[in-house]
Amino acid sequence: MAIKVINDKCKGCTICVKACPFDAIEMKGKIAEIGAACTACGVCVAKCPFEAIEKVEDENDNGVDLSEYKDIWVFAEQRQGKLMGVALELIGEGYRLAKEISDDTKVCAVIVGDNVAHLADECYAYGAERVILIEDPLLKNFTTDGYTKVLTDAINEFKPEIVLYGATHIGRDLAPRVAARCNTGLTADCTRLDVRVSSYIDFANKNTTLDTSTLDPNDPDTGIKQTRPAFGGNLMATIICPRFRPQMSTVRPGVMQKREPVEGAKGELVEYKPTIAAADIRTEVVEIVKSAKELVSLTDAEIIVSGGRGLGNEEGFALLKDFADHIGGVLGASRAAVDAGWIDHSHQVGQTGTTVKPRIYFACGISGAIQHLAGMQGSDMIVAINKDADAPIFEVADYGLVGDLYKIIPLLKEEWDNADALFDASAK
Ligand code: FAD
Ligand code: SF4
Ligand code: SF4
């Protein structure tokens, strides 16, 4: 698809120049000219009051027949025979998107590994309608070369419309390589995915990079709208991949909702025999050593006690640890506390840390910067302790305690055992 100005109709009004979100239009004399930065988003076509701009089939187009691509794939990342939580979250999200696209669009979990067939049932339980199983002894452990090869081959054979990956270390390594091999784009760290423009407009605000009111909901070229924070979280950018397939996104753990599992659910199993040889893989996994950092499981924690710059020093975390241990929680932190060297980055919550959704989140001495909120505002209950009554954290808190955390935390610890009713997240 390409965008063309019909010179005879152009009146030189320059509306399209201002409307183009990619600065791709220039006036050449009194006629608009489309430049190389054009992404064929179609905004100018809808904006021109004289119908002087049109979408045309491009002779030099990439040759991708979009109609050949169907279904949504989720890379069901497993480590040592155990599915990652984000894979189940993405199966739920994929299911939702598939039903919005059409009744016969399926969500498929792609399991890559060796002796991993037992994971199919868990994928079905969480919503997968089909499982594509890619097994080989050479795929036992993740290697960038091996997984890229087999996934790319499978994509080229089955042609999925959308491929979703968790934004884990593995997902972030794998997705861009597969995207490059498939000659398509990738949107990293998405926080929202939408099929229809109508649902997207509800969410969109003036910060978005596309003028969504001009997108045609029935235009199959538009594809999914992939929204992610940009410019330090101050702006939400919505990105489309209208001309290439598959559309690919990575999504951070904890952002999407798992579906309620249906025990005993069944789907279709497709066993894909990969073509892979030892020579295709340039690295060898000698040993897998779990670092202490990996033991901090913020993603699955029910209670998180987070500390920020308001702790004043490293010792403040000893107080929080004592409280967290008492109530069965784990330690989180703001970036300011991490940057100060008071705690390891693996504890950081937020846009450049982990996204969390515990039942209770204690924010202690944390101001509530947007980048921190991005990682914790999905928590069931937020309890904020801050000595500044105007701190932005109180805007998202369910309970706000104004005062010195060094006085409040010991009191909370003392009262905790009697405070079930107050902190019963299910009552929220
Ligand atoms: P501050 O903003 O300094 O707040 C400290 C708070 O403690 C204040 O509100 C103060 O009133 C209170 N306080 C002080 N003493 C006490 C006391 N004795 N008792 C009670 N309260 C007290 N931040 C993150 O957290 N996570 C991220 O992932 C993240 N990613 C970022 C990415 C980018 C691109 C950028 C630009 C920034 C990012 N940040 C992130 C940083 C973010 O903008 C803030 O700077 C940071 O969150 C501030 O941390 P804080 O709330 O601990 O510190
Ligand atoms: Fe020409 Fe239409 Fe652009 Fe106006 S909006 S300059 S008429 S192409
Ligand atoms: Fe700009 Fe989009 Fe028009 Fe291309 S199609 S010139 S990117 S508004």
Side-chain angles (χ1 to χ4, degrees):
M1 199 64 73
I3 301 294
K4 195 177 139 206
V5 175
I6 308 164
N7 291 355
D8 293 349
K9 289 190 174 182
C10 177
K11 306 279 187 242
C13 69
T14 74
I15 288 175
C16 57
V17 177
K18 292 169 205 136
C20 174
F22 302 97
D23 282 337
I25 311 180
E26 272 182 38
M27 296 306 294
K28 287 282 159 79
K30 295 216 155 162
I31 305 284
E33 190 176 285
I34 311 287
C38 175
T39 64
C41 72
V43 167
C44 58
V45 178
K47 287 279 179 186
C48 174
F50 304 100
E51 296 182 356
I53 311 183
E54 62 179 356
K55 276 193 176 182
V56 287
E57 291 300 331
D58 183 358
E59 288 164 12
N60 303 316
D61 211 347
N62 51 56
V64 177
D65 179 357
L66 304 187
S67 64
E68 285 184 351
Y69 290 78
K70 199 163 170 352
D71 294 334
I72 299 181
W73 280 17
V74 172
F75 173 63
E77 182 181 333
Q78 58 82 24
R79 294 189 194 175
Q80 290 156 320
K82 200 169 174 301
L83 283 170
M84 301 294 284
V86 66
L88 304 176
E89 292 163 11
L90 289 182
I91 290 172
E93 180 65 6
Y95 187 89
R96 186 185 70 77
L97 294 171
K99 298 308 138 204
E100 273 198 49
I101 293 173
S102 71
D103 287 344
D104 62 344
T105 300
K106 290 195 162 39
V107 59
C108 312
V110 185
I111 310 175
V112 184
D114 187 32
N115 287 323
V116 283
H118 62 282
L119 298 176
D121 283 345
E122 198 176 347
C123 294
Y124 297 139
Y126 280 88
E129 294 161 291
R130 183 182 292 145
V131 164
I132 296 170
L133 185 63
I134 309 180
E135 287 186 310
D136 191 285
L138 289 169
L139 302 170
K140 182 167 190 285
N141 294 315
F142 173 77
T143 58
T144 312
D145 286 340
Y147 276 46
T148 300
K149 173 154 195 336
V150 299
L151 202 52
T152 306
D153 288 350
I155 287 171
N156 287 336
E157 181 158 338
F158 293 102
K159 298 194 186 318
E161 190 178 353
I162 297 170
V163 183
L164 307 176
Y165 308 76
T168 59
H169 292 301
I170 286 179
R172 285 173 196 220
D173 183 6
L174 181 64
R177 283 169 192 264
V178 175
R181 298 272 172 96
C182 295
N183 194 29
T184 188
L186 171 75
T187 307
D189 280 357
C190 296
T191 53
R192 183 170 170 135
L193 300 169
D194 285 295
V195 172
R196 299 208 184 284
V197 175
S198 52
S199 62
Y200 169 73
I201 286 172
D202 287 340
F203 166 76
N205 57 41
K206 52 184 175 293
N207 288 341
T208 51
T209 53
L210 286 178
D211 178 356
T212 53
S213 60
T214 60
L215 293 176
D216 175 357
N218 299 316
D219 183 350
D221 295 356
T222 308
I224 51 165
K225 288 90 207 159
Q226 307 159 91
T227 301
R228 54 151 298 153
F231 295 103
N234 293 311
L235 180 145
M236 299 303 284
T238 298
I239 294 159
I240 54 176
C241 179
R243 290 188 294 158
F244 296 86
R245 290 292 181 268
Q247 302 160 88
M248 292 197 190
S249 325
T250 64
V251 178
R252 283 172 162 232
V255 173
M256 302 301 181
Q257 294 283 354
K258 282 181 198 161
R259 298 184 83 226
E260 275 304 314
V262 179
E263 289 311 321
K266 283 288 166 207
E268 181 193 353
L269 182 70
V270 177
E271 293 182 49
Y272 175 74
K273 188 75 204 127
T275 313
I276 181 132
D280 293 323
I281 302 174
R282 289 168 295 177
T283 49
E284 186 187 348
V285 179
V286 179
E287 190 186 356
I288 296 174
V289 183
K290 279 207 170 196
S291 75
K293 283 184 197 172
E294 277 182 87
L295 300 177
V296 182
S297 185
L298 284 171
T299 324
D300 301 328
E302 296 246 310
I303 301 178
I304 295 175
V305 180
S306 264
R309 206 194 316 258
L311 290 176
N313 55 49
E314 189 174 351
E315 286 75 55
F317 276 105
L319 176 76
L320 297 196
K321 175 86 171 63
D322 177 57
F323 179 51
D325 287 347
H326 186 73
I327 65 176
V330 299
L331 275 185
S334 74
R335 176 158 158 184
V338 171
D339 286 351
W342 300 341
I343 191 163
D344 188 83
H345 175 261
S346 56
H347 293 267
Q348 184 178 313
V349 172
Q351 189 190 316
T352 42
T354 305
T355 303
V356 299
K357 251 191 212 160
R359 293 183 67 204
I360 310 178
Y361 187 86
F362 287 93
C364 312
I366 293 177
S367 59
I370 187 165
Q371 296 88 356
H372 188 81
L373 301 184
M376 47 64 80
Q377 59 190 355
S379 306
D380 285 348
M381 178 189 289
I382 297 169
V383 182
I385 306 168
N386 198 304
K387 65 181 185 188
D388 174 8
D390 295 325
I393 191 75
F394 289 127
E395 283 166 29
V396 298
D398 297 281
Y399 294 93
L401 304 170
V402 180
D404 183 354
L405 67 92
Y406 282 94
K407 293 193 180 133
I408 292 175
I409 302 260
L411 291 174
L412 273 182
K413 185 183 166 195
E414 215 175 291
E415 290 298 317
W416 176 263
D417 297 333
N418 307 322
D420 285 355
L422 178 64
F423 293 117
D424 181 0
S426 62
K428 192 185 162 204

